[in-house]
Amino acid sequence: MLSPFIELEEESDESYRCYVLQNAVQIFKHSIQEEDLNDVRIYVSTNTQLDLIANKIEDYVKWFSTCEIVFREYYENELHQKVHKGWFNEIEVYRLDITFNSIADYGATISCGDNILQDHIMIVDFNREQIQAIHLNG
């Protein structure tokens, strides 16, 4: 799924190499097609070899399509908003940034929107598979 990665040299620097995917990917239940793959960026520390963590990156990207319980519980507890049964399926993803400092030190930030807080963009920060915060913009 993630191979090959395409490096965005203009986004890479001495600390991180920036990659985009070549194939469509599903984040939450939102499918990001080839024309929007620049909105999915993977930053890998220059101290980490891409080929050594490629499988871990693939597993992490796949995890975002199965993280409904983690997201639902955090959303309802922190934002005090109850969600309906199909809520996770309706989330629209605008951007995903994943950062890998090493195979054990990684996280992501997802900008998305839902039908409950329609006038806000949610910025969700993950540390590995745990949500650290949801910021509302709007």
Side-chain angles (χ1 to χ4, degrees), residues 25-32 88-89 91-94:
V25 65
Q26 181 176 307
I27 305 299
F28 303 148
K29 297 298 180 189
H30 184 86
S31 180
I32 299 174
F88 190 72
N89 300 333
I91 297 170
E92 185 174 354
V93 176
Y94 308 126

Side-chain angles (χ1 to χ4, degrees), residues 91-105:
I91 297 170
E92 185 174 354
V93 176
Y94 308 126
R95 183 175 171 109
L96 168 63
D97 291 321
I98 297 174
T99 302
F100 269 83
N101 295 310
S102 70
I103 198 163
D105 181 11

Side-chain angles (χ1 to χ4, degrees), residues 22-65:
Q22 191 168 19
N23 301 314
V25 65
Q26 181 176 307
I27 305 299
F28 303 148
K29 297 298 180 189
H30 184 86
S31 180
I32 299 174
Q33 299 298 316
E34 283 83 2
E35 63 272 8
D36 294 323
L37 286 175
N38 258 1
D39 296 331
V40 178
R41 298 200 177 181
I42 301 166
Y43 297 89
V44 178
S45 170
T46 55
N47 296 325
T48 304
Q49 292 182 346
L50 178 63
D51 59 336
L52 297 178
I53 65 165
N55 288 337
K56 185 67 175 178
I57 294 171
E58 182 175 340
D59 290 345
Y60 194 47
V61 170
K62 286 180 182 176
W63 177 80
F64 284 108
S65 67

Side-chain angles (χ1 to χ4, degrees), residues 58-110:
E58 182 175 340
D59 290 345
Y60 194 47
V61 170
K62 286 180 182 176
W63 177 80
F64 284 108
S65 67
T66 64
C67 69
E68 179 175 2
I69 292 171
V70 170
F71 196 9
R72 177 185 296 270
E73 288 177 356
Y74 190 93
Y75 187 100
E76 289 183 345
N77 290 332
E78 294 299 316
L79 299 180
H80 307 291
Q81 296 284 335
K82 288 291 183 193
V83 298
H84 59 277
K85 184 178 180 181
W87 167 80
F88 190 72
N89 300 333
E90 299 168 354
I91 297 170
E92 185 174 354
V93 176
Y94 308 126
R95 183 175 171 109
L96 168 63
D97 291 321
I98 297 174
T99 302
F100 269 83
N101 295 310
S102 70
I103 198 163
D105 181 11
Y106 57 91
T109 300
I110 298 178

